[in-house]
Amino acid sequence: MGAALRRIQVGSALSAFGLGFTVPYLYVYVAQVRGLGAGTAGVVLAVFAMAALAVLPFTGRIIDRRGPLSVLMVASGVAAAGAVALGVSSGVTSSVLSAAVLGAGTAVMQPALATMLVRCSDASSRTRVFATQFFLQNLGLGIGGLAGGQLVDVGRPSSFTVLFLIEAAMFVVLGVVAATVRMPHTASASTGGVGAATAKGGLRVLLSHRAMVQLCVLGFVIFFACYGQFESGLAAYGTEAAGIAPSTLGVALAANTAVIVLAQFVVLRLVERRRRSRVIAWVGLIWAFAWVVAGYAGLGHGSQTMATAAMISTYALFGLGESMLSPTVAPLVADLAPDAMVGQYNSAFALVKQLALAVGPAVGGPMGASLHGPYIVTFVLFSLGITVIALKLGRRLTAVQDNPSLASAPSRVVAVSLPEGEPATVAATAH
């Protein structure tokens, strides 16, 4: 299993490295380099995000039926084709369609990779596995963004084409690396039995699982209150209310990534033997404090230097919270899922994440730009909501689900929190 996990993690990091080359420059590429204007650039970014909402509802069942490996290989090929097409697109229609293909491919990769990590790990190691993936993906995104910034030249469209070709190559490498992974045999919807009956229940089974529903609500609030604000509401607030230079936002994002990279494994050692629900609750408090610091930056009437330092500190505090979430939330999704529905559970959570990332900028952007006080108060309350929901979720989890270190053996003992109404025999076969 060690070799399989290493290959999956390397492939995941390389794909993030490829994304880092293009995502920070997508708006500039469409609006300025191709001369299609801000409106078209906004549509391209929206289509890139919305493509995920179109494909994720169907992804989970396909993963459970066909296996995550085959789905990942197809998704990486689709994403590579989308990246190449976008890199050579010069018109509105071709840019929008290319963005849709790229967005769909990258969206499907997420639950496929997560399911592969679940299949190649157990409850005792899953916390560290997902923390490692988060660390490597952030490192890849950061290095890719820095490298891409050295290569681009707004006056030379060909320099951006090179970035998209590099991104496509990384997706191809991910597919090739994935093809060498030998996945363990597990139950699936196509093999029959009670586990298959559970999987075929699909959305009905998932919605009857109250712990998973509560975790999805928690996930929406998490991504809405943090990730959905980074490049929209918080950026608008920082420039409009705090008066920081746009270039400082890049420094703040770099500080966010630096904290994640530097703190991830230190934080992991501190939290991997603690209750997941309590760790997530602490993240809510840390982020509430981060929003208070942001409030000081824009509303505290301090010096410009203090406001700048406060905004950078806000992004850094978000990074600390992110490093605490990576070993808790994603492994918990896996541990709640029946074996035959791991793909559907991962896809459902990815869909919730994407919804939050779509709604977050739409709500936070206008508020951050003009309603400075209400904006800060709103997101302080959302962050405290994370704490409240996490503590309530903890009451629905088994002791081992909430703290996997309590497991006496490396097995997925999560059956007692199966979807309500499932027979006891499912517990025996699915876990």
Side-chain angles (χ1 to χ4, degrees):
M1 292 299 179
L5 276 174
R6 283 194 295 273
R7 292 176 185 179
I8 297 169
Q9 299 283 31
V10 167
S12 177
L14 289 174
S15 67
F17 177 69
L19 279 170
F21 266 91
T22 61
V23 171
Y25 313 108
L26 188 54
Y27 180 89
V28 173
Y29 171 70
V30 176
Q32 300 178 17
V33 177
R34 293 300 183 185
L36 300 179
T40 299
V43 171
V44 167
L45 289 170
V47 167
F48 179 79
M50 296 299 289
L53 301 181
V55 298
L56 284 174
F58 312 101
T59 300
R61 182 163 290 191
I62 297 174
I63 289 174
D64 290 329
R65 286 180 177 274
R66 303 298 181 186
L69 178 56
S70 59
V71 173
L72 178 62
M73 292 176 65
V74 171
S76 62
V78 169
V84 172
L86 193 55
V88 298
S89 294
S90 57
V92 174
T93 301
S94 59
S95 295
V96 170
L97 292 177
S98 300
V101 173
L102 178 59
T106 54
V108 173
M109 286 182 196
Q110 298 177 41
L113 278 168
T115 304
M116 289 180 72
L117 292 176
V118 172
R119 298 299 189 206
C120 293
S121 62
D122 52 49
S124 64
S125 63
R126 198 161 293 134
T127 295
R128 185 167 290 271
V129 164
F130 277 95
T132 300
Q133 184 200 33
F134 186 72
F135 166 80
L136 290 174
Q137 285 186 331
N138 275 276
L139 187 62
L141 283 169
I143 295 175
L146 290 172
Q150 302 304 310
L151 296 176
V152 295
D153 182 351
V154 176
R156 289 191 305 115
S158 61
S159 66
F160 285 83
T161 301
V162 170
L163 294 192
F164 285 101
L165 291 177
I166 292 173
E167 179 182 37
M170 292 300 100
F171 291 144
V172 171
V173 170
L174 170 61
V176 171
V177 170
T180 67
V181 176
R182 297 184 62 181
M183 296 294 294
H185 177 74
T186 56
S188 70
S190 61
T191 58
V194 181
T198 302
K200 290 177 181 178
L203 186 62
R204 177 186 59 80
V205 173
L206 193 149
L207 291 177
S208 71
H209 193 173
R210 294 180 183 175
M212 181 58 188
V213 171
Q214 202 160 342
L215 180 59
C216 285
V217 172
L218 176 62
F220 182 89
V221 177
I222 286 172
F223 289 108
F224 177 79
C226 175
Y227 299 91
Q229 304 306 312
F230 269 8
E231 296 174 4
S232 59
L234 193 55
Y237 174 84
T239 54
E240 296 292 339
I244 66 171
S247 60
T248 304
L249 292 176
V251 177
L253 285 169
N256 174 267
T257 301
V259 168
I260 293 171
V261 171
L262 295 174
Q264 182 62 85
F265 291 102
V266 175
V267 169
L268 177 62
R269 285 195 292 270
L270 295 175
V271 307
E272 63 182 342
R273 294 192 174 277
R274 287 172 170 79
R275 293 177 60 181
R276 287 166 168 169
S277 59
R278 298 290 177 85
V279 173
I280 299 170
W282 272 106
V283 171
L285 296 177
I286 291 171
W287 284 359
F289 178 66
W291 283 108
V292 171
V293 173
Y296 168 78
L299 308 172
H301 306 294
S303 67
Q304 189 58 55
T305 301
M306 292 299 294
T308 299
M311 284 301 299
I312 293 174
S313 299
T314 297
Y315 278 83
L317 286 167
F318 278 126
L320 178 61
E322 290 172 72
S323 67
M324 295 169 67
L325 289 175
S326 62
T328 52
V329 175
L332 183 54
V333 174
D335 287 349
L336 286 174
D339 269 350
M341 291 187 67
V342 173
Q344 293 178 68
Y345 272 53
N346 280 322
S347 294
F349 195 78
L351 179 61
V352 167
K353 171 184 176 180
Q354 204 64 37
L355 283 169
L357 293 179
V359 175
V363 174
M367 288 187 69
S370 57
L371 302 174
H372 303 149
Y375 178 67
I376 294 298
V377 172
T378 296
F379 285 94
V380 167
L381 293 176
F382 266 100
S383 298
L384 294 176
I386 293 172
T387 301
V388 173
I389 298 171
L391 293 176
K392 289 184 176 180
L393 174 63
R395 302 190 191 110
R396 290 194 177 276
L397 302 177
T398 68
V400 173
Q401 286 171 344
D402 207 11
N403 188 351
S405 66
L406 297 176
S408 57
S411 61
R412 296 181 65 227
V413 187
V414 299
V416 289
S417 187
L418 283 174
E420 283 76 358
E422 290 299 316
T425 50
V426 174
T429 57
H431 301 280

